[in-house]
Amino acid sequence: MIKNYTISLYGQVCSLENLQAAFKKARKGKTKRPDVLEFESNLMNNLRQLRADLLFHSYRPQPLTTFIIRDPKTRKINKSAFCDRIVHHALCNIIEPIYEKIFIYDSYANRKGKGTLKAVERFDEFKRKVAIPHSDYITGYCFKADLKHYFETVDHGILMQVLKRRIKDDNIMFLLKKILANYNNGEPRKGMPLGNLTSQFLANVYLNELDQFVKTNLKVKYYIRYVDDFVILHKQKETLEFYKGEIDLFLRQKLTLELHPLKSKIISLNKGVTFLGFRIFYHHKLLRKSNWRAAKRKIISLKYDFDNNMVDYDNVYDSMTGWFAYAKQANTYHVRRMMGEKLDQFFPNELSSIELRKIKKLSANKIQAYCKA
């Protein structure tokens, strides 16, 4: 017999209305995918079955699909089945608002109204409060930190203890354990898969512990975090050295994490700081070449998906509009002009979506020539 979950958090997760909303989020930008079309072909019955599985605790996540991407660094991405992605969205729909109230302002990853552009804008604001421009140099420093193998080393036990402080529903905790246990990196009760919505959310929950330590205990003013990349700006290098030591100790003792020994360093603002794909100086910003190359690969991928009816022109437009907004933050006039020419070549945007589907696919020789351009 199904328990009465109508007023519990778990009941809200399992509600048909929430599952319908989760389905819409999970399929966004993927409406042409075969697994999405298959699920949608019998939508209400599939959602009711998923709801019953959740309520009876018979839900079992399907094995993750693993693939490698290079953008430019090599990363292993673990993709969940579409029905599991619906569950992830349904879960985050309910529990994200609980944590949004306690997250610090300057945590910018995977949050509404935040993102990379907002984080870079905040960096610009902070550098002007810390640095003083002189005729031939800029004062001030930045502690740029990166966590070593962050997603692979998250401790499930510590994470569950952190979650229990706010989530008092045992059924929610049981579901979270199932989702975490679906990933196996060879170390028991360690790690989260890159690519899951729940991993992105839980990454913020776990590192909120660091955020609170930095802001409350160390009382740092100019701190910005984006997933496992974070920066602290200050006028004095010695103060940043102190912060670095205290943060390293906290991470090791409380979260079983480590600062990356090569990527965590104190940099003079005069030399420019690499952050979220930009090389940021006091008076200007440059887009990293690796980001430009990744954008070229992205447009080729979109062309392939478009030609195989996996995305429509609206998806292409939304994706590239986001990239142009990102690139515009730096001194990239010529880069954006070149990308615009490639975009017009691949997707003549004066045509309708129906006419675009009739465009002949690029030959392999043209694609190879583009990759070398």
Side-chain angles (χ1 to χ4, degrees):
M1 185 175 180
I2 299 177
K3 294 180 180 179
N4 183 1
Y5 291 116
T6 53
I7 60 173
S8 68
L9 278 180
Y10 194 65
Q12 295 175 50
V13 170
C14 300
S15 73
L16 197 56
E17 294 78 12
N18 186 44
L19 291 174
Q20 286 176 299
F23 163 76
K24 291 177 182 178
K25 287 184 177 180
R27 76 164 181 171
K28 187 176 181 181
K30 304 176 179 67
T31 55
K32 303 288 185 180
R33 302 274 180 181
D35 54 345
V36 178
L37 292 171
E38 182 182 357
F39 192 95
E40 192 171 14
S41 66
N42 196 12
L43 179 60
M44 294 313 297
N45 282 342
N46 285 332
L47 288 178
R48 289 189 182 98
Q49 181 60 58
L50 185 57
R51 179 174 187 269
D53 290 342
L54 289 167
L55 292 174
F56 280 114
H57 295 293
S58 59
Y59 165 73
R60 296 289 183 275
Q62 296 181 32
L64 298 165
T65 301
T66 301
F67 58 95
I68 304 296
I69 65 169
R70 295 172 176 85
D71 65 341
K73 66 180 180 181
T74 301
R75 294 188 296 169
K76 185 172 73 172
I77 304 297
N78 296 274
K79 180 182 175 183
S80 295
F82 182 66
C83 61
D84 294 329
R85 295 203 298 274
I86 294 173
V87 173
H88 299 167
H89 278 282
L91 183 59
C92 289
N93 283 348
I94 303 304
I95 64 176
E96 266 188 356
I98 297 172
Y99 284 91
E100 189 60 33
K101 297 174 185 177
I102 64 168
F103 287 158
I104 66 167
Y105 180 87
D106 287 312
S107 166
Y108 285 89
N110 311 304
R111 296 175 65 194
K112 290 180 181 178
K114 301 292 184 176
T116 54
L117 297 186
K118 293 290 185 182
V120 171
E121 288 173 4
R122 189 67 158 168
F123 189 102
D124 284 339
E125 180 185 340
F126 285 172
K127 77 185 180 188
R128 288 183 171 85
K129 291 184 177 180
V130 167
I132 300 174
H134 296 272
S135 58
D136 57 348
Y137 69 96
I138 305 293
T139 64
Y141 297 88
C142 174
F143 169 40
K144 184 182 181 302
D146 184 279
L147 299 180
K148 185 178 179 181
H149 306 309
Y150 173 54
F151 278 87
E152 292 296 312
T153 53
V154 168
D155 186 287
H156 293 184
I158 295 173
L159 176 58
M160 296 308 288
Q161 288 300 318
V162 170
L163 287 163
K164 280 180 182 178
R165 294 182 206 151
R166 296 276 167 177
I167 299 176
K168 305 302 181 183
D169 190 316
D170 291 340
N171 293 295
I172 294 279
M173 299 300 293
F174 181 70
L175 179 58
L176 284 166
K177 283 181 182 179
K178 277 188 179 180
I179 292 171
L180 287 170
N182 194 42
Y183 178 64
N184 181 10
N185 67 354
E187 286 193 65
R189 294 173 61 78
K190 284 270 190 177
M192 298 187 299
L194 272 172
N196 273 7
L197 176 68
T198 47
S199 297
Q200 297 168 11
F201 167 67
L202 294 174
N204 273 342
V205 172
Y206 202 72
L207 285 181
N208 182 59
E209 300 297 295
L210 170 64
D211 298 341
Q212 299 299 334
F213 173 75
V214 169
K215 298 299 289 185
T216 305
N217 293 61
L218 297 181
K219 302 188 184 305
V220 173
K221 282 187 177 181
Y222 306 123
Y223 167 79
I224 303 168
R225 182 176 63 80
Y226 190 93
V227 195
D228 57 336
D229 291 328
F230 62 92
V231 293
I232 300 175
L233 286 78
H234 201 277
K235 295 179 184 295
Q236 298 178 338
K237 185 177 181 180
E238 294 77 15
T239 302
L240 292 179
E241 293 281 6
F242 170 73
Y243 289 157
K244 181 181 179 182
E246 292 296 302
I247 288 170
D248 187 45
L249 188 63
F250 174 84
L251 289 170
R252 290 173 182 273
Q253 292 183 346
K254 301 297 183 181
L255 300 178
T256 65
L257 299 173
E258 294 180 47
L259 290 174
H260 196 292
L262 300 178
K263 298 180 181 179
S264 301
K265 47 191 161 184
I266 297 171
I267 305 164
S268 169
L269 292 174
N270 190 55
K271 296 180 179 179
V273 178
T274 300
F275 185 54
L276 300 181
F278 295 102
R279 185 78 181 275
I280 305 174
F281 296 87
Y282 188 85
H283 294 292
H284 69 285
K285 291 189 286 291
L286 300 176
L287 187 69
R288 294 179 66 188
K289 290 182 180 179
S290 58
N291 281 33
W292 164 232
R293 291 193 292 267
K296 290 202 291 186
R297 291 193 297 270
K298 176 66 173 177
I299 198 172
I300 291 174
S301 174
L302 287 169
K303 174 63 177 173
Y304 175 84
D305 288 347
F306 179 83
D307 286 339
N308 287 278
N309 292 321
M310 298 170 71
V311 298
D312 58 25
Y313 185 68
D314 287 341
N315 300 132
V316 175
Y317 178 82
D318 290 345
S319 179
M320 295 313 299
T321 298
W323 182 84
F324 275 100
Y326 171 79
K328 196 174 182 180
Q329 298 297 309
N331 300 71
T332 56
Y333 173 78
H334 294 293
V335 169
R336 285 182 283 122
R337 188 184 66 183
M338 286 188 289
M339 180 58 80
E341 291 171 356
K342 296 294 185 184
L343 191 61
D344 287 341
Q345 175 191 347
F346 276 50
F347 309 98
N349 56 18
E350 71 274 12
L351 301 176
S352 68
S353 293
I354 294 174
E355 289 171 319
L356 279 166
R357 292 192 184 97
K358 298 177 183 177
I359 294 174
K360 187 177 180 180
K361 294 182 182 179
L362 289 176
S363 67
N365 290 337
K366 285 185 178 179
I367 290 178
Q368 289 176 5
Y370 173 73
C371 291
K372 293 176 182 178

